[in-house]
């Protein structure tokens, strides 16, 4: 039976303004609220801060309004500056292979991109936990400064380890700290329209993945590599300023028992299998985005067009990320993700075997659309796998595990390409990984519904 608490909005406003994290266990609940708590059958294991959280969360989610949409704006800017920037690495891979790091193997250079991809997710365990207990603005501000600074420093790099330190590690870890709490913040403000909000945020990451490659391609030809990176750093500075001004929590901080890592969550078959699916997907999902620019000249695409294929793929991703969010609110996120991952796996198998601009450009668009549907909705099922109070930790555990797949995937693909002298075997490896992920997604969906059909 659902519980209703007749608490005046002014009481909540006053309570939220005076909420003191240091007095979390002692003064999280007002006297009038304690009377309600005493009457309610709360489990005795709940701390005062947990009860206060649930009291506040039982209010209707805004699901709109100026403040909520400003949060979506901030999340979109965060995705643009982090995932969008990181997803553009394919154009850097091609440029480094042929210019700045010529003679360095593709597998070695791919470690820069894979480290970025991994570190976008890897800090999720710590950042998610910090978010749950109330820390948002300080980590995001510090990471924003580091991201801009590292981008300025990339302009001065000329050896592999320089690029690995600044672009691989620095850009990656700062992007992870900024993007880590975004989906958790969205979960505070949206419920029935959550997938739509997440789709808008994911759309912005694809816009970034389209803008940054085109900007880099034109800027480095017009003003040189150094000034191209400096201009990109100024763009990031502006966008991250919006992030820090608009991102805001709605629900109060809460101390949940279990510490940084909650192994009990893996007792849920749906969550465990879903996490395994994400790990398998990222072993192969970024392979095409990383190497499509580099492989295109050998597939009959003119060099002047080859460097735009990552941007074309991200343009396709932008459309699917936005539309998949709207569709997922109606038929369920995993119902959209599973066939999308199947299509991405199929296109990965086909990628090395197509020839000519007329075939590779549509493949890039379709691949971006299919992989974008998965990436754009990846957080939606995890939000639904448990209580909102624990969403940061639950999402962080999954992201940390899948980051290992993102770290290993592109270098494995690069090593296969280097040893075989082509990308046919790479397509088999990456496509197989994505297909395994598709089967695990379908299984996780079954564990949630206990049947093969339905909305989830």
């Amino acid at each position: 039976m659902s519980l209703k608490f007749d608490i005046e909005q002014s009481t909540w406003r006053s309570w939220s303004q005076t909420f003191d994290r240091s007095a979390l266990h002692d003064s999280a609940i007002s006297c009038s609220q304690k009377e309600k708590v005493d009457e309610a059958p709360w489990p005795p294991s709940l701390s005062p801060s947990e009860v206060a959280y649930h009291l506040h969360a039982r209010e209707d989610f805004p699901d709109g309004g100026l403040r909520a949409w400003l949060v979506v704006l901030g999340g979109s800017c965060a995705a643009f500056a982090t995932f969008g920037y990181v997803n553009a690495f394919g154009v850097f891979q091609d440029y480094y292979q042929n210019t700045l790091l010529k003679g360095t193997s593709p597998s070695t250079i791919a470690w820069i991109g894979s480290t970025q991809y991994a570190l976008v997710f890897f800090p999720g365990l710590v950042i998610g936990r910090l978010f749950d207990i109330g820390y948002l603005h300080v980590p995001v501000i510090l990471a924003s400064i580091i991201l801009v600074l590292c981008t300025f420093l990339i302009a001065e790099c000329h050896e592999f380890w320089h690029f690995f330190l600044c672009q691989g590690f620095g850009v990656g870890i700062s992007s992870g700290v900024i993007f880590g709490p975004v989906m958790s913040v969205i979960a505070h403000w949206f419920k029935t329209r959550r997938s739509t909000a997440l789709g808008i945020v994911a759309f912005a990451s694809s816009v970034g993945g389209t803008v940054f490659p085109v900007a880099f391609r034109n800027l480095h030809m017009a003003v040189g590599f150094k000034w191209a990176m400096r201009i990109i750093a100024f763009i990031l500075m502006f966008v991250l300023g919006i992030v820090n001004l608009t991102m805001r929590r709605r629900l109060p901080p809460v101390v949940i028992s279990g510490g940084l890592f909650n192994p009990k969550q893996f007792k849920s078959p749906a969550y465990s299998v879903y996490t395994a699916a994400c790990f398998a997907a990222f072993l192969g999902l970024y392979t095409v985005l990383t190497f499509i620019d580099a492989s295109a000249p050998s597939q009959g695409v003119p060099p002047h067009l080859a460097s735009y294929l990552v941007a074309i793929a991200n343009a396709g991703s932008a459309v699917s990320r936005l539309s998949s969010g709207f569709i997922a609110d109606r038929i369920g996120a995993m119902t959209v993700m599973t066939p999308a991952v199947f299509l991405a796996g199929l296109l990965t198998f086909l990628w090395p075997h197509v020839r000519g601009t007329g075939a590779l450009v549509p493949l890039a668009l379709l691949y971006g659309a299919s992989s974008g549907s998965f990436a754009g909705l990846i957080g939606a099922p995890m939000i639904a796998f448990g209580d909102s109070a624990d969403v940061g930790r639950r999402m962080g555990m999954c992201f940390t595990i899948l980051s290992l797949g993102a770290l290993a995937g592109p270098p494995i693909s690069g090593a296969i390409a280097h040893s075989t002298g082509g990308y046919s075997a790479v397509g088999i490896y990456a496509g197989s990984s994505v297909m395994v992920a598709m089967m695990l997604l379908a299984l996780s969906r079954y564990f949630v519904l206990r049947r093969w059909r339905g909305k989830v």
Side-chain angles (χ1 to χ4, degrees), residues 165-179:
L165 184 63
C166 293
Q167 191 167 10
F169 185 81
V171 170
I173 195 73
S174 55
S175 295
V177 173
I178 295 167
F179 185 76

Side-chain angles (χ1 to χ4, degrees), residues 203 206-207 209-210 310-320 365 368-369:
F203 170 79
S206 291
V207 172
T210 304
V310 170
I312 291 170
N314 280 302
S317 178
V319 175
S320 71
L365 279 169

Side-chain angles (χ1 to χ4, degrees), residues 83 85-90 92-93 96 106-123 160 163-164 167-173 282-287 289-291 399-415 429:
F83 255 111
Y85 189 21
V86 168
N87 281 342
F89 184 74
F92 292 99
Q93 173 88 20
Y96 295 161
S107 177
T108 300
I109 296 172
W111 277 105
I112 301 172
S114 69
T115 301
Q116 280 187 319
Y117 296 141
L119 290 178
V120 171
F121 296 107
F122 188 77
F160 169 77
F163 289 102
F164 181 82
Q167 191 167 10
F169 185 81
V171 170
I173 195 73
F282 279 88
L283 279 173
L285 200 65
Y286 279 124
T287 292
L289 292 176
T290 300
F291 293 103
F399 280 177
T400 299
I401 292 171
L402 74 84
S403 72
L404 302 178
L407 177 65
I412 292 174
S413 297
Y429 155 73

Side-chain angles (χ1 to χ4, degrees), residues 28-343:
I29 306 174
S30 68
C31 293
S32 61
Q33 294 163 13
K34 285 180 180 178
E35 293 176 2
K36 297 290 185 181
V37 171
D38 292 337
E39 297 172 5
W42 298 106
S45 59
L46 288 183
S47 67
S49 66
E50 290 175 283
V51 175
Y53 182 97
H54 286 289
L55 282 168
H56 201 34
R58 284 179 186 277
E59 294 183 297
D60 291 336
F61 282 74
D63 270 315
L66 178 62
R67 181 65 259 176
W69 290 116
L70 282 175
V71 169
V72 173
L73 172 64
S76 300
C77 289
F80 177 93
T82 57
F83 255 111
Y85 189 21
V86 168
N87 281 342
F89 184 74
V91 72
F92 292 99
Q93 173 88 20
D94 180 48
Y95 183 72
Y96 295 161
Q97 279 184 216
N98 295 299
T99 309
L100 291 183
L101 299 175
K102 193 172 184 179
T104 305
S105 71
S107 177
T108 300
I109 296 172
W111 277 105
I112 301 172
S114 69
T115 301
Q116 280 187 319
Y117 296 141
L119 290 178
V120 171
F121 296 107
F122 188 77
L125 188 60
V126 175
I127 297 303
R129 187 62 174 154
L130 287 174
F131 176 82
D132 286 339
I133 63 176
Y135 294 95
L136 174 64
H137 292 293
V138 172
V140 171
I141 290 171
L142 293 176
S144 300
I145 294 171
I146 294 171
L147 179 56
V148 172
L149 180 61
C150 285
T151 303
F152 276 118
L153 290 175
I154 293 170
E156 311 303 323
C157 296
H158 53 84
E159 294 186 22
F160 169 77
W161 72 270
H162 296 163
F163 289 102
F164 181 82
L165 184 63
C166 293
Q167 191 167 10
F169 185 81
V171 170
I173 195 73
S174 55
S175 295
V177 173
I178 295 167
F179 185 76
V182 167
M183 284 185 276
S184 299
V185 173
I186 297 296
H188 276 208
W189 293 87
F190 292 87
K191 187 174 183 180
T192 59
R193 302 168 74 181
R194 184 176 292 160
S195 292
T196 298
L198 291 174
I200 294 171
V201 172
F203 170 79
S205 72
S206 291
V207 172
T210 304
V211 168
F212 284 117
V214 173
F216 176 77
R217 161 79 178 176
N218 289 278
L219 286 171
H220 88 76
M221 293 180 66
V223 297
F225 175 75
K226 289 188 175 183
W227 270 106
M229 297 311 301
R230 290 166 185 161
I231 292 171
I232 289 174
F234 283 119
I235 294 172
L236 292 173
M237 188 184 301
F238 173 76
V239 173
L240 291 171
I242 298 175
V243 174
N244 284 277
L245 289 173
T246 56
M247 290 287 284
R248 192 81 44 92
R249 299 174 58 95
R250 181 181 73 92
L251 300 175
V254 60
V255 177
I256 300 287
S257 60
L260 189 65
F261 191 82
N262 181 21
K264 293 180 180 179
Q265 184 67 57
F266 291 98
K267 291 182 180 180
S268 164
Y271 178 83
S272 298
V273 174
Y274 183 80
T275 302
C278 293
F279 173 81
F282 279 88
L283 279 173
L285 200 65
Y286 279 124
T287 292
V288 175
L289 292 176
T290 300
F291 293 103
I292 192 170
D293 280 6
S295 70
S298 65
Q299 294 173 269
V301 178
H304 71 275
L305 178 61
S307 59
Y308 286 102
L309 287 173
V310 170
I312 291 170
N314 280 302
S317 178
V319 175
S320 71
R321 289 180 187 231
L322 186 61
S323 60
S324 61
F326 290 106
I327 297 170
D329 276 334
R330 288 157 179 79
I331 67 174
M334 296 180 75
T335 307
V336 176
M337 296 166 72
T338 305
V341 171
F342 173 79
L343 179 58

